[in-house]
């Protein structure tokens, strides 16, 4: 019987190449922190401010891992029990994400009052398929990293230290963090409104988790502000629909549809999909199968929608994640037809017709004014 062989280095490279922007790689670590029931996640960029990024450190106060759990997690596409309330699925995420940022990764974790660690060097993995596991790492180095970065050295948590950075997206630590207290919309980096603030909005707003960025070793933690795609708390935004809808298969979804002022641009247009309180994708193309790909949405630009699946199992009835979990694919083509017939979908169609009629009336008025002139 022939054995199916895998070149580890080339597979790892293929998983990294073009799959992650920096903020998307950071998602993988924060997703793991959420699954570990962390209440705090810190993202520290060294050496800080206007200096070039030399290291990225992500650390939390979650449940941590035992040495056996750490080794299992380091298996590419590892098998483990995954809750329906976490979006982790493929067992690839944080390994591929880490190596999309840098060539060397330290993982230090604490559970049941025991510290475990691993050190991964990409060139060594490529050449030999090896890394330093919990029994091989320098324990003094691991302890020093734990004391230096852990949220609270006395309690559990996990630390990722990514060195020898290869990311080319940001030239300075300040631009990578991107904090702009005057205008969150126009800032870039991790603090840009439609990145971590959007993905973890429900968890941030509920107080389940706080996410901080830190510039350098002396910088103060700055919290990530949540961003509501539907802008439902803004005084000039109307809520057209808000409620729960069940499919014939018994899948229950929370849905929200809002209407922004008519002059709103199309930048954040679309229907957001939230799975287990994490917003994974905004469909501004087909609107979850209601329209053909490439359809014009000029009469719908002022609408913002959200469909929330309570569990990953519910989500998988109609969709599946792309490999990096930053996009989704519709696998049941009837979903769009069903959605169109719900009150949520009917409001979208109605508002489109009203806006179309208003635009046509505006054109007639302008034509008459031009004739009079």
């Amino acid at each position: 019987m022939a054995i199916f062989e895998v070149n580890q280095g080339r597979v790892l490279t293929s998983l990294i190449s073009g799959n992650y922007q920096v903020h998307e790689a950071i998602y993988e670590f924060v997703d793991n922190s959420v699954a570990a029931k962390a209440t705090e996640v810190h993202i520290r960029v060294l050496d800080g401010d206007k200096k070039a990024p030399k290291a990225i450190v992500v650390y939390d106060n979650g449940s941590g891992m035992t040495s056996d759990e750490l080794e299992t997690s380091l298996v590419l596409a590892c098998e483990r029990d995954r809750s329906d309330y976490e979006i982790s699925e493929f067992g690839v995420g944080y390994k591929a994400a880490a190596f999309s940022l840098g060539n060397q990764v330290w993982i230090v974790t604490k559970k049941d009052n025991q510290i475990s660690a691993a050190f991964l060097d990409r060139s060594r993995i490529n050449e030999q398929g090896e890394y330093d596991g919990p029994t091989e790492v320098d324990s003094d180095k691991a302890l020093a990293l734990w004391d230096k970065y852990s949220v609270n050295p006395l309690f559990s948590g996990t630390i990722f230290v990514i060195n020898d950075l290869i990311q080319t997206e940001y030239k300075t630590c300040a631009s990578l963090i991107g904090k702009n207290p005057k205008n969150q919309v126009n800032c870039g980096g991790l603090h840009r409104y439609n990145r971590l603030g959007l993905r973890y909005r429900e968890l941030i707003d509920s107080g389940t988790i706080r996410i901080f960025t830190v510039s350098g070793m002396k910088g103060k933690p700055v919290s990530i502000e949540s961003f509501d795609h539907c802008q439902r708390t803004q005084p000039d935004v109307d809520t057209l629909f808000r409620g729960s809808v069940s499919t014939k298969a018994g899948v229950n979804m929370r849905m929200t549809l809002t209407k922004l002022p008519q002059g709103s641009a199309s930048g954040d247009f679309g229907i957001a999909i939230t799975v287990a309180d994490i917003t994974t994708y905004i469909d501004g193309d087909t609107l979850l199968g209601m329209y053909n790909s490439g359809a014009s949405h000029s009469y719908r630009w002022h609408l913002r929608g959200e469909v929330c699946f309570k569990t990953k199992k519910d989500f998988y009835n109609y969709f599946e994640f792309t490999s990096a979990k930053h996009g989704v694919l519709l696998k049941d083509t009837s979903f769009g037809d069903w959605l169109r017939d719900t009150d949520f979908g009917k409001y979208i169609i109605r508002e489109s017709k009203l806006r179309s009629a208003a635009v046509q009336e505006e054109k007639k008025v302008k034509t008459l004014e031009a004739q009079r002139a």
Side-chain angles (χ1 to χ4, degrees):
M1 181 182 294
I3 302 298
F4 186 80
E5 296 186 6
V6 175
N7 183 311
Q8 297 178 70
R10 293 177 68 84
V11 168
L12 189 56
T13 298
S14 70
L15 291 172
I16 294 167
S17 299
N19 280 338
Y20 294 96
Q21 291 182 273
V22 169
H23 66 276
E24 292 172 335
I26 297 297
Y27 290 165
E28 298 288 355
F29 302 110
V30 181
D31 288 351
N32 285 352
S33 297
V34 171
K37 307 298 183 184
T39 60
E40 288 187 27
V41 181
H42 296 248
I43 306 157
R44 188 183 295 269
V45 184
L46 304 175
D47 286 326
D49 299 330
K50 296 183 179 180
K51 297 176 182 177
K54 292 184 178 179
I56 297 174
V57 188
V58 184
Y59 48 104
D60 67 30
N61 64 347
S63 58
M65 293 177 279
T66 64
S67 60
D68 288 343
E69 290 170 339
L70 174 58
E71 289 189 297
T72 297
S73 77
L74 285 167
V75 176
L76 202 60
C78 64
E79 290 283 351
R80 68 170 177 83
D81 291 333
R82 291 178 170 84
S83 167
D84 276 341
Y85 296 92
E86 62 173 296
I87 65 170
S88 175
E89 182 63 19
F90 304 112
V92 173
Y94 86 73
K95 281 85 72 176
F99 284 124
S100 75
L101 298 174
N103 286 320
Q104 296 181 339
V105 185
W106 269 94
I107 306 168
V108 186
T109 185
K110 184 176 182 180
K111 185 175 183 178
D112 299 333
N113 210 33
Q114 295 293 321
I115 294 176
S116 306
F119 175 71
L120 294 82
D121 183 284
R122 186 177 171 188
S123 61
R124 183 181 172 193
I125 292 173
N126 289 351
E127 294 169 7
Q128 304 172 23
E130 298 177 351
Y131 69 92
D132 288 335
T135 59
E136 294 91 22
V137 294
D138 183 333
S139 58
D140 290 338
K141 173 70 172 178
L143 182 59
L145 290 172
W146 180 258
D147 290 338
K148 187 175 185 179
Y149 293 118
S150 59
V151 175
N152 187 325
L154 298 178
F155 298 106
S156 62
T158 300
I159 301 168
F160 293 90
V161 183
I162 305 162
N163 291 309
D164 190 15
L165 297 187
I166 59 173
Q167 70 81 29
T168 58
E169 193 175 345
Y170 298 101
K171 301 299 182 184
T172 67
C173 294
S175 62
L176 194 161
I177 289 176
K179 180 60 179 171
N180 183 344
K182 294 182 179 179
N183 194 330
Q184 188 185 8
V185 171
N186 290 334
C187 77
L190 301 181
H191 278 271
R192 183 165 175 77
Y193 72 103
N194 59 357
R195 292 178 176 170
L196 282 85
L198 170 65
R199 187 173 178 88
Y200 304 104
R201 177 192 68 82
E202 291 204 26
L203 297 170
I204 294 172
D205 287 347
S206 67
T208 301
I209 199 167
R210 293 185 296 168
I211 305 172
F212 301 94
T213 60
V214 187
S215 181
M217 288 305 300
K218 297 182 179 180
K220 295 182 179 179
V222 179
S223 62
I224 295 285
E225 298 175 16
S226 69
F227 173 73
D228 181 7
H229 164 71
C230 291
Q231 301 183 41
R232 66 201 88 190
T233 61
Q234 298 301 313
D236 55 351
V237 173
D238 296 327
T239 298
L240 302 178
F241 179 83
R242 188 174 186 179
S244 295
V245 180
S246 295
T247 67
K248 291 182 179 179
V251 176
N252 187 272
M253 288 162 277
R254 286 188 294 112
M255 294 184 177
T256 300
L257 182 68
T258 58
K259 176 182 176 181
L260 277 60
Q262 296 285 14
S264 300
S266 61
D268 297 314
F269 166 75
I271 301 177
I273 292 185
T274 297
V275 183
D277 295 332
I278 295 178
T279 301
T280 59
Y281 182 66
I282 296 178
D283 185 357
D285 182 19
T286 71
L287 300 192
L288 308 188
M290 287 182 62
Y291 298 92
N292 292 328
S293 181
S296 171
H297 294 299
S298 58
Y299 298 141
R300 293 178 281 272
W301 279 352
H302 58 297
L303 301 178
R304 303 290 184 272
E306 182 180 60
V307 175
C308 301
F309 293 91
K310 187 175 182 179
T311 67
K312 187 170 54 181
K313 181 180 179 181
D314 289 341
F315 167 80
Y316 277 144
N317 276 276
Y318 302 101
F319 299 90
E320 58 187 19
F321 291 118
T322 57
S323 59
K325 301 196 304 294
H326 309 142
V328 303
L329 296 173
L330 180 64
K331 65 181 184 182
D332 186 342
T333 55
S334 67
F335 184 84
D337 296 329
W338 170 83
L339 187 62
R340 191 181 295 109
D341 290 335
T342 65
D343 289 341
F344 177 90
K346 288 176 181 177
Y347 270 111
I348 292 176
I349 294 169
R350 188 196 74 172
E351 288 297 321
S352 301
K353 291 179 178 178
L354 290 174
R355 180 57 182 155
S356 175
V359 169
Q360 297 306 318
E361 188 62 30
E362 290 169 6
K363 288 180 179 178
K364 289 180 182 179
V365 171
K366 289 180 180 179
T367 299
L368 289 172
E369 289 176 348
Q371 290 173 347
R372 288 176 187 146

